[in-house]
Amino acid sequence: MHMTHERARMDNQGVTRYHHFYTTRIGAVIARLWTEVNNAPSEDLKRIGRFWIDSHFLNLSIQNCYRPGVTFPYNPISGIYYVSSLISEPNPFIAYENKLKQIERGFAGRLKRRGHFSIMTGSCSSLPIPGDSVDYIFTDPPFGENIYYSDLNFLVEAWTGVLTNASSEAIIDRARKKALPEYQRLMQRSFSEYFRVLKPGRWMTVVFSNSKASVWNAIQVSLQQAGFVVAEVNALDKVQGSYRQVTSTTAVKQDLVISAYKPNGGLEKRLAERGAAPDSAWDFVQTHLRQLPVSKAKSGALEMVVERDPRRIYDRMVAWFVRHDFPVPLSTEEFLEGLRSRFPERDGMVFLPDQVAEYDRKRAQVAQAPQMELFVSDERSAIDWLADFLRRRPSTYQEVHPEFITQVGAGWRKHEEKPELSALLTDNFLRFDGNGEVPSQIHSYLSTNFKDLRGLEKEDSRLKAKAKDRWFVPDPSKSKDLEQKRERSLLKEFESYKSAPGRRLKEFRLEALRAGFKAAWAAKDYKTIVGIAQKIPEEALQEDEKLLLWYDQALTRMEANT
């Protein structure tokens, strides 16, 4: 048999043959029933009979465990081959009698209901459904390497003699030489079919769970490459966890619910007419903000709507242009500055003018504003943490350093080069040297938190002495110059990667790779993107959503041009 992953566990429990899955008398009953239905006088009766009998192949096996106090007689653990220490042997005659009644009720109910529905078994990478015809899609795809689904067909295949063709099964399966890239391509083919059949402007819900960032990124990139735009990610507490969620210390205990939409045709038509123009970027933002939830609440408190974070909106805009093979029309700072001037912002989130009033009403009903949780794992998140820290508390290097060190701990990415705090401050923030007026950011902080400094003018010597050498977040008008300076530095670093000797880069700056990939994409230099991607460890590429998006799109363009 082709079962590869679950065999060792069953071998250890003495289950090495098909008939070992059943007690002697239950196996004899099923064998007799199976023989009878296969000798039925017509093909229709044979199909109906097989449908009836194989409905209990698992429930009647020794995987059916005894659970005290549970009245339902069938309790096998799904998603795994497992024999408990205490087995429950159900009565096969009662089981099949009850199943027959359920089938009768099901078909009777179908005849009473109006309308049509179909149940199909096949591959989602090729759906026999017309394009733009489906109102809503709910999908619960394979979670990477969590479950080996084709192996779980083992019992049914043993009876039918028909083996599953696992070549198009969208899982990570090392035994069949399916790694993460193959899984991502298979998922993308399925999402592309979902995109094709879904009506413009309609939604898809994806339930997903995996503890690995690389698998999570593969799903997100697959969605974006298919054409979907992610609008919201929420946790789904199913109360009863799966076998792996309950027994594994590394498994994610909750599934995620991804809400994504297919843009209406108008947005894509306008993009085709305008091309890579700033107006196209703002058109996307206007449309995207309309799709996002205005507020989220849990236990009476407001939560951050992460998709409304300015940088997250920028990432979605970039993915939109890359997916349509256009250069990105705005730099990060140009985009963020334009966002601030065009759209109202509340508690670090961006809204449309007609949405902000609704948010303000919700905000007035709670005592505390929602807070964004920042986890420092690379240069970009370190900069974001510093910006948040200095915005609340303009500080000297000596004050920032101990706080920063506690953040840059065990969670730092393996291959990411750790930047010096002094370099991050110099490249991204401003320091008051004691000359001229005290900047308003520092003045506001000092006058609020130090009683003896309240009411002082910005030129007051006492205030200037306290403000000297403090780092602060620059005004939007000045941050653009800093961003351009930093961009030049990152691209210079990227050039050194191109000329670095050897086949592999052991350490690098993700921000330099992102800046270099973006510049190469704008120049249609796909070869450079692919070449550098091959120099970095595969896990580093797979664990960064932005790099993975640039790389996959560049690879697609190169393959299309050959």
Side-chain angles (χ1 to χ4, degrees), residues 246-366:
V246 171
T247 60
S248 173
T249 58
T250 59
V252 177
K253 304 305 179 186
Q254 289 184 321
D255 293 350
L256 294 174
V257 180
I258 309 168
S259 298
Y261 62 91
K262 177 179 179 177
N264 58 46
L267 180 62
E268 297 202 331
K269 182 180 178 181
R270 293 191 296 273
L271 176 63
E273 293 171 351
R274 294 170 178 162
D279 283 348
S280 297
W282 301 125
D283 188 14
F284 170 81
V285 173
Q286 186 87 16
T287 304
H288 184 54
L289 289 177
R290 183 72 60 193
Q291 306 292 340
L292 304 182
V294 173
S295 62
K296 289 171 62 176
K298 184 177 181 180
S299 303
L302 281 182
E303 292 187 323
M304 287 289 296
V305 180
V306 178
E307 289 296 329
R308 290 189 177 275
D309 177 81
R311 289 191 178 274
R312 184 64 65 92
I313 297 170
Y314 178 72
D315 290 342
R316 298 300 183 208
M317 184 273 293
V318 169
W320 171 256
F321 278 87
V322 171
R323 192 259 169 183
H324 289 86
D325 201 14
F326 283 114
V328 181
L330 297 168
S331 70
T332 307
E333 283 308 315
E334 287 173 335
F335 180 83
L336 295 178
E337 184 179 349
L339 206 62
R340 284 186 285 263
S341 64
R342 287 173 169 80
F343 303 98
E345 187 172 333
R346 296 288 191 277
D347 300 324
M349 297 178 287
V350 179
F351 298 88
L352 293 175
D354 59 341
Q355 293 174 330
V356 77
E358 179 184 343
Y359 179 79
D360 286 342
R361 285 195 298 272
K362 296 286 180 66
R363 174 67 184 85
Q365 296 170 8
V366 297

Side-chain angles (χ1 to χ4, degrees), residues 464-484:
K464 291 170 70 172
K466 191 70 173 177
K468 191 174 185 298
D469 291 330
R470 289 184 182 270
W471 293 91
F472 63 97
V473 179
D475 290 328
S477 59
K478 295 180 181 179
S479 61
K480 185 176 179 180
D481 293 336
L482 276 175
E483 179 68 20
Q484 290 174 347

Side-chain angles (χ1 to χ4, degrees), residues 395-406:
S395 305
T396 64
Y397 177 90
Q398 289 76 13
E399 292 171 335
V400 176
H401 186 264
E403 301 279 355
F404 181 74
I405 290 300
T406 60

Side-chain angles (χ1 to χ4, degrees), residues 175-194:
R176 295 187 175 91
K177 302 189 185 309
K178 288 183 181 178
L180 185 59
E182 287 75 24
Y183 169 72
Q184 182 178 327
R185 282 194 287 272
L186 287 165
M187 289 304 304
Q188 186 180 333
R189 282 167 52 188
S190 297
F191 286 142
S192 295
E193 273 294 273
Y194 290 153

Side-chain angles (χ1 to χ4, degrees), residues 180 184 212-225 228-231 233 258 306-307 311-320 322 378 413 510-511 514 517 536 538-553:
L180 185 59
Q184 182 178 327
K212 292 184 178 179
S214 56
V215 179
W216 169 243
N217 286 334
I219 285 292
Q220 291 222 88
V221 170
S222 297
L223 281 167
Q224 291 171 155
Q225 288 181 330
F228 287 102
V229 181
V230 176
V233 180
I258 309 168
V306 178
E307 289 296 329
R311 289 191 178 274
R312 184 64 65 92
I313 297 170
Y314 178 72
D315 290 342
R316 298 300 183 208
M317 184 273 293
V318 169
W320 171 256
V322 171
D378 57 14
R413 294 192 179 191
L510 280 175
E511 284 296 284
R514 292 166 181 163
F517 278 23
I536 64 177
E538 183 177 333
E539 63 267 26
L541 178 67
Q542 297 291 345
E543 289 177 2
D544 190 88
E545 179 190 344
K546 299 180 182 70
L547 293 184
L548 189 59
L549 178 65
W550 297 113
Y551 169 70
D552 277 358
Q553 289 292 329

